Amino acid sequence: MTQEIYLTGITTTGTPHIGNYVGAIQPGIVASKDPATEHFYFLADYHSLAKNEDPDKIVQSTLEIAASWMALGLDTDRAYFYRQSDIPEIPELTWILTGMTAKGLMNRAHSYKAAVQANEESGNKDPDKGVMMALYSYPILMAADILMFKSTKVPVGRDQKQHVEMARDIAQRFNHHYGEIFALPEAVTDEHVAVLPGRDGRKMSKSYNNTIPLWLPEKRLRKAIMRIVTNSLEPGEPKDPDDSALYSIYAAFASPEQREAMRQAYRDGIAWGAAKQQAFELINEELIQGRERYEALIAEPARIEETLLEGAQKARAWATPFLGRIREAVGIRGLK
Ligand code: TRP
């Protein structure tokens, strides 16, 4: 059997939140300790351009996400850890793949369809109003990220699963046309934690403004947890853990025994305030050490920059010759 190659990216918009931690960073670090597999983790800064963010915010987000991976103990000597834009082979591969991507496939992307639907609902005559090509062809850039390193396993939240399937479709079409070049990737979603709810119960996402930032100082972390929306059931009244954002957030950090005990506490009518206090203590305990390392790292951006550039060098040692083969296959060649 060929070796499994894991790859995942985080878009550099916003401050890392506990959803990124339980959904990507923490499981990624644990998995990267397995010597039988290879791991690619990167900062998807080109993807952030689809949202037309403030440039300084993109840089700040890159710094914070990189520092988070490092503070939590990613072994950057073993894993490939890099910034997407330091790998010029990726935008080049994106264009090559664009020639193998049906427009109809992109029409079906959830993120594009959501933008069109929003326009229709607000009565806009142009369904594509405000849709940039970077949003529309976002899945092709993501396919290039994935296919560039022949990754076979792509850990993502459920909302990104479709994009991984599209990468697979594009790879299949390419291989059919030009010969077996790409590995076929598969999305890996952990059903347990893939979509962490935010404070309001919807998916924790920067776009909903419902996140709990990962590195809040202790007092502010406590406040943020106290603001998680619950219902009006009184202490003593039984509560349903499966209908509670607070429970889901707690569960993402808890051991199976802790989860079971909390479920029982809900059934026994634990007060919301007490359940929140327990969630705060559990989450804070898990983050205390990382928080200290994070603060030290963030004060030294040059060290992070150096680590990213080393990672890019390592990744390009793979990407440059592989892109050479791809160029050759599609007919982008020198004249002999
Ligand atoms: N689009 C992903 C997100 O917003 C981030 C991402 C970019 C990614 N490229 C990737 C994830 C490649 C997995 C593989 O969450």
Side-chain angles (χ1 to χ4, degrees):
M1 211 188 92
T2 53
Q3 191 192 32
E4 299 288 9
I5 299 178
Y6 284 78
L7 174 143
T8 198
I10 298 181
T11 304
T12 55
T13 43
T15 290
H17 53 73
I18 63 172
N20 300 133
Y21 172 78
V22 298
I25 306 178
Q26 164 66 5
I29 292 173
V30 171
S32 73
K33 298 195 167 131
D34 174 1
T37 52
E38 287 280 11
H39 297 265
F40 290 75
Y41 299 124
F42 67 96
L43 306 153
D45 56 345
Y46 278 139
H47 277 104
S48 72
L49 299 182
K51 292 186 186 155
N52 304 142
E53 286 264 0
D54 169 350
D56 293 334
K57 283 197 182 153
I58 294 178
V59 180
Q60 181 63 22
S61 173
T62 304
L63 173 69
E64 293 181 6
I65 298 170
S68 300
W69 280 99
M70 291 168 69
L72 290 164
L74 178 69
D75 180 349
T76 55
D77 288 326
R78 221 191 87 60
Y80 290 75
F81 179 61
Y82 54 94
R83 171 171 49 205
Q84 185 185 37
S85 63
D86 287 330
I87 318 285
E89 287 80 2
I90 290 181
E92 188 171 344
L93 178 58
T94 302
W95 182 252
I96 293 174
L97 296 177
T98 300
M100 276 286 132
T101 305
K103 177 170 176 286
L105 186 69
M106 296 299 95
N107 288 341
R108 289 194 287 277
H110 299 319
S111 45
Y112 168 65
K113 283 191 1 193
V116 170
Q117 198 186 341
N119 280 332
E120 280 165 354
E121 279 167 7
S122 59
N124 262 310
K125 275 200 225 85
D126 178 6
D128 284 330
K129 182 157 192 277
V131 176
M132 294 296 129
M133 283 305 293
L135 172 71
Y136 188 67
S137 46
Y138 186 105
I140 316 178
L141 176 58
M142 193 160 150
D145 290 328
I146 295 170
L147 302 180
M148 186 82 255
F149 298 102
K150 290 201 165 194
S151 45
T152 50
K153 301 278 180 196
V154 185
V156 283
R158 248 169 278 161
D159 63 315
Q160 295 290 315
K161 209 173 156 188
Q162 185 199 31
H163 293 150
V164 181
E165 286 160 3
M166 289 177 161
R168 191 183 172 93
D169 285 352
I170 296 168
Q172 262 167 334
R173 189 178 183 132
F174 188 101
N175 286 354
H176 184 72
H177 197 83
Y178 294 114
E180 291 300 310
I181 302 236
F182 294 123
L184 301 183
E186 198 183 340
V188 183
T189 50
D190 180 339
E191 289 310 313
H192 206 66
V193 290
V195 182
L196 193 73
R199 283 184 286 99
D200 60 357
R202 293 186 291 172
K203 179 199 167 178
M204 186 174 289
S205 162
K206 202 203 140 209
S207 15
Y208 295 147
N209 198 17
N210 64 359
T211 68
I212 298 177
L214 182 54
W215 302 120
L216 286 177
E218 203 164 296
K219 273 195 183 150
R220 288 179 52 202
L221 176 64
R222 187 168 180 283
K223 266 199 188 154
I225 291 172
M226 293 298 159
R227 280 202 307 265
I228 296 172
V229 176
T230 51
N231 58 27
S232 57
L233 290 171
E234 298 287 336
E237 288 187 87
K239 300 175 175 66
D240 180 4
D242 296 319
D243 183 32
S244 160
L246 176 62
Y247 175 76
S248 303
I249 292 171
Y250 178 87
F253 286 82
S255 66
E257 296 75 38
Q258 287 169 321
R259 283 203 284 270
E260 201 29 66
M262 186 56 85
R263 296 183 75 83
Q264 189 57 46
Y266 269 60
R267 289 190 286 265
D268 294 344
I270 187 173
W272 286 124
K276 286 177 174 178
Q277 179 63 26
Q278 284 197 39
F280 161 69
E281 282 166 15
L282 182 73
I283 296 171
N284 189 49
E285 186 60 34
E286 180 152 335
L287 297 178
I288 276 180
Q289 284 184 349
R291 191 188 290 138
E292 254 175 51
R293 286 195 296 262
Y294 176 82
E295 273 157 17
L297 275 161
I298 212 95
E300 265 191 288
R303 219 174 107 197
I304 301 175
E305 182 65 22
E306 194 185 329
T307 304
L308 289 175
L309 293 180
E310 279 169 15
Q313 212 174 16
K314 222 166 82 177
R316 291 192 72 194
W318 164 267
T320 311
F322 187 42
L323 183 68
R325 267 186 63 203
I326 299 166
R327 290 173 59 113
E328 187 68 27
V330 300
I332 302 294
R333 308 178 189 141
L335 305 174
K336 306 201 175 57

